[in-house]
Amino acid sequence: MSVQFLHNDETIIGDATIILSLGKNLLLKGPTGAGKTRLAENMSEALSQSIYSVNCSVDVDIESLLGFKTIEYTEGRQEIIFIDGPVVRAMKEGAILYIDEINMARPEVLPILNAALDYRRTITNPLTGDIITAEKGFKVIAAINVGYVGTMPMNEALLNRFNVIELGYVSKEALTEILKIQSIQEDEAILRDIAQFHSDLVTMTEQGQISQEASSVRSLIDLADLSTKMPISRACYRAIIDKLDSEQEKKAILNAAELQFGMR
């Protein structure tokens, strides 16, 4: 079983379950590290369904979604076969399709999914000419980070095919619990300090001083883990500060870390 999704908004899991159980598409909207992928994995387990994932980027093309042709040799004979991609596999098996960072894909790629995302639940594979109708149980979860580097606004026709749950930043209390479960750091005082540090980072993110990447929960888990093997001052550089290119962001985070951890 995967690590459970934790958030201070107790309505999220229940609402996600209702949306998917009604056969509707679910869009998870929130900052990086808010637990969108974790929630999708938990929905797969709760509904006892397999999950197939697509990680979108500018490099994602039709083949990445639907599959590709390849050559196979059987008893010395050459044969061209088609290997199903995640979209086709999820539809044929009645599984969950998880589309991560859907707003990072090129706009011309995603319209191929429109018919699969509405009442028709079908797709015409231009690579084979096959018309695929989804098996009962087929569900779609997508995730976006608004304002993240490299993202684009979602096409209105695509957005209208989803019901949306917005995952805000986790509270200090919820993050402390997440760190207890997912980090190897056992010193609760350090975990509370890191959770408070995250609250300061969230405030700076909301004020536009730093980017969302800098306040990622994933980075905080890394910070907690590294702090078991090195001074937290150095762990903060390795897990957060040295990932950034902006000297202004680095300075802002260093100032917050010095206040919280007494870094020198």
Side-chain angles (χ1 to χ4, degrees):
M1 179 178 290
S2 66
V3 177
Q4 291 299 299
F5 169 80
L6 291 174
H7 200 282
N8 44 292
D9 185 345
E10 297 179 353
T11 68
I12 290 174
I13 294 177
D15 289 356
T17 303
I18 290 170
I19 290 168
L20 293 173
S21 296
L22 290 173
K24 300 183 183 297
N25 307 315
L26 172 61
L27 178 66
L28 303 175
K29 178 180 175 183
T32 181
K36 299 184 291 297
T37 300
R38 187 83 63 197
L39 177 56
E41 292 171 347
N42 283 181
M43 287 295 100
S44 169
E45 292 180 354
L47 297 170
S48 299
Q49 290 184 261
S50 300
I51 185 168
Y52 293 97
S53 298
V54 176
N55 295 307
C56 289
S57 70
V58 294
D59 297 322
V60 165
D61 55 17
I62 299 299
E63 289 189 343
S64 303
L65 300 174
L66 305 185
F68 58 92
K69 292 180 179 179
T70 187
I71 297 175
E72 186 175 89
Y73 293 90
T74 305
E75 297 179 352
R77 292 182 301 171
Q78 180 176 300
E79 182 182 6
I80 297 176
I81 63 170
F82 188 81
I83 304 297
D84 291 339
V87 174
V88 174
R89 293 184 69 184
M91 293 181 72
K92 286 183 175 180
E93 296 179 24
I96 295 174
L97 173 66
Y98 177 57
I99 311 173
D100 195 17
E101 311 288 8
I102 191 171
N103 56 336
M104 291 192 75
R106 300 193 310 275
E108 64 269 23
V109 172
L110 295 176
I112 192 70
L113 299 178
N114 283 352
L117 295 172
D118 64 23
Y119 69 94
R120 290 168 286 183
R121 284 304 200 238
T122 62
I123 197 166
T124 300
N125 189 341
L127 304 173
T128 63
D130 294 338
I131 298 176
I132 301 153
T133 300
E135 291 294 322
K136 184 179 179 180
F138 173 65
K139 298 176 176 64
V140 180
I141 305 174
I144 61 173
N145 290 325
V146 177
Y148 196 73
V149 175
T151 61
M152 294 164 278
M154 279 186 71
N155 176 280
E156 186 175 343
L158 182 62
L159 182 60
N160 284 340
R161 285 170 164 79
F162 287 92
N163 289 265
V164 182
I165 293 179
E166 184 159 2
L167 282 66
Y169 290 101
V170 297
S171 68
K172 182 168 61 176
E173 293 74 22
L175 179 59
T176 301
E177 288 304 309
I178 291 170
L179 293 174
K180 285 181 182 178
I181 295 170
Q182 299 184 32
S183 169
I184 61 174
Q185 176 60 262
E186 297 180 348
D187 189 321
E188 293 195 13
I190 292 177
L191 296 181
R192 287 193 297 270
D193 284 346
I194 292 174
Q196 179 58 55
F197 177 53
H198 179 254
S199 296
D200 296 339
L201 295 182
V202 168
T203 298
M204 289 191 290
T205 300
E206 293 173 340
Q207 293 174 348
Q209 296 181 49
I210 62 175
S211 61
Q212 286 186 3
E213 300 98 302
S215 55
S216 164
V217 172
R218 296 188 192 99
S219 295
L220 272 293
I221 294 171
D222 288 342
L223 172 60
D225 288 345
L226 293 179
S227 70
T228 65
K229 302 294 184 181
M230 65 178 71
I232 198 164
S233 57
R234 200 159 78 242
C236 195
Y237 274 96
R238 302 294 178 256
I240 301 174
I241 296 173
D242 285 346
K243 293 180 181 178
L244 305 173
D245 294 324
S246 168
E247 292 301 322
Q248 182 177 346
E249 283 188 79
K250 288 183 177 182
K251 184 176 181 181
I253 294 171
L254 181 58
N255 288 339
E258 287 176 342
L259 289 173
Q260 185 61 49
F261 305 122
M263 293 170 60
R264 295 292 183 270

